[in-house]
Amino acid sequence: MQVLQNGRFAVSTWSLHRMLGAVHAYSPDPDKSVAAKEPYGPGAAALIDVPAALVARGVNRLEVCSFHLPSLDAAYISELRDAMAASNVLFQTLLVEDGDPSHSETAERDVEWMAKWIDIAAALGAQRMRVIAGKQKPTEENLTRAARHLNWLAGKAEGSGVRVVVENWFDLLPSPVEMNWLLDRLDGKVGLNGDLGNWAAPAKYQGLADIMGRAEICHAKADYGVAGLDAEDYRTCLEMCEKAGYDGPFTLIYDSPFFPDEWDGILLQKAFIEDFLREAPARRTA
């Protein structure tokens, strides 16, 4: 049972952003610089060391934020892929962190930039590439524009071994109505990464129940207050995933100053979900 559960956990490098330090703002906007910046401090570890650190903590899947890649050179990409292979860690998703397919003026530029990441994702051995569906208000025009450009992007990924996925994120997708509308228009060509923390409670609970049956992967983000992890919220989110029939992996998203050591928050969430999964048979028979 432990092997099965470990196979269901991933960690995003966002959960380690203080530990990793520097970020590189890769962007379709020519005015943005990719020079290293340290908004979270200088860091204490390199991305290349993360796969081994994951395995030491019982996790064998990784998601990498594009801004955490210190280089896009082929030599570095190969080195990172080798480090993943050496630790037997699956590169679950490359998270492309900029671009807006719903923008009336820059959508075409942005998706062409996103398409360049397909080859990078493939070279890294990533199963998926998560892109931003859109940041504009959810008008019919903006949703239709996003659907058209995302459909084009999915076509560019055909044959690459990389599946394009989107997330219930930003203004374009504020509820399951827009999320399901978009997925319906994409007709299975683009998948869903469901995020437990992007929508606000209490409406998010039914919203998650309405979309997580379509999700392939899940950002299992927990909320924290002054007393620590909000167990009631986290459990309810997981119950909505269960209600929807979600049985994919959980990517542990820790995004809080509560624990100075980010691994403490990550492993607490892992243990919480493990307990939840262990109790599943009892819930089904209750």
Side-chain angles (χ1 to χ4, degrees):
M1 183 64 177
Q2 189 63 35
V3 173
L4 173 62
Q5 289 189 354
N6 282 350
R8 292 192 68 179
F9 290 104
V11 167
S12 166
T13 57
W14 177 248
S15 300
L16 298 166
H17 63 267
R18 295 196 300 268
M19 186 188 86
L20 290 172
V23 296
H24 301 258
Y26 303 112
S27 173
D29 184 345
D31 293 331
K32 288 186 179 180
S33 169
V34 300
K37 297 181 178 64
E38 296 180 348
Y40 315 112
L47 176 60
I48 205 81
D49 299 321
V50 170
L54 283 180
V55 171
R57 293 165 173 84
V59 179
N60 61 7
R61 292 167 174 262
L62 178 63
E63 295 198 344
V64 175
C65 300
S66 55
F67 51 67
H68 279 139
L69 291 168
S71 171
L72 302 183
D73 290 345
Y76 178 79
I77 296 298
S78 179
E79 185 181 358
L80 180 56
R81 181 169 182 160
D82 288 347
M84 301 278 287
S87 295
N88 196 28
V89 169
L90 175 70
F91 202 132
Q92 181 169 283
T93 316
L94 175 63
L95 306 167
V96 178
E97 302 286 9
D98 206 343
D100 183 357
S102 67
H103 197 285
S104 61
E105 297 177 3
T106 60
E108 187 170 335
R109 177 201 71 181
D110 289 8
V111 293
E112 288 177 355
W113 174 83
M114 289 174 170
K116 295 176 182 178
W117 285 91
I118 296 169
D119 287 343
I120 298 171
L124 285 165
Q127 285 188 331
R128 296 176 179 84
M129 183 177 89
R130 192 272 281 134
V131 300
I132 296 167
K135 300 178 182 179
Q136 306 308 304
K137 296 299 181 183
T139 64
E140 183 176 356
E141 180 181 9
N142 289 338
L143 282 160
T144 299
R145 182 182 300 111
R148 181 173 72 253
H149 287 303
L150 290 167
N151 185 66
W152 176 87
L153 185 64
K156 288 292 184 180
E158 286 182 6
S160 69
V162 177
R163 178 160 168 78
V164 176
V165 298
V166 293
E167 185 175 332
N168 53 313
W169 195 21
F170 286 115
D171 285 355
L172 189 73
L173 303 173
S175 82
V177 174
E178 295 82 10
M179 186 75 256
N180 283 318
W181 185 95
L182 182 65
L183 292 174
D184 288 345
R185 297 311 180 279
L186 294 169
D187 196 28
K189 295 177 182 177
V190 172
L192 172 62
N193 168 45
D195 191 295
L196 306 186
N198 285 346
W199 290 341
K204 74 171 178 177
Y205 303 127
Q206 186 56 50
L208 291 170
D210 289 344
I211 69 167
M212 286 306 296
R214 307 180 77 162
E216 301 172 10
I217 50 178
C218 171
H219 278 176
K221 182 180 179 180
D223 286 338
Y224 287 78
V226 294
L229 186 149
D230 186 338
E232 182 178 357
D233 173 80
Y234 209 31
R235 176 173 290 277
T236 303
C237 289
L238 295 171
E239 287 172 349
M240 294 304 101
C241 292
E242 186 177 64
K243 178 180 178 181
Y246 178 75
D247 60 359
F250 291 99
T251 303
L252 302 164
I253 305 290
Y254 173 68
D255 182 13
S256 169
F258 187 81
F259 292 108
D261 186 336
E262 290 163 308
W263 285 116
D264 289 340
I266 291 167
L267 294 178
L268 175 64
Q269 293 173 205
K270 179 175 182 286
F272 191 101
I273 297 175
E274 285 174 332
D275 288 344
F276 180 85
L277 296 175
R278 198 175 294 115
E279 295 162 4
R283 286 194 298 276
R284 286 194 290 268
T285 57

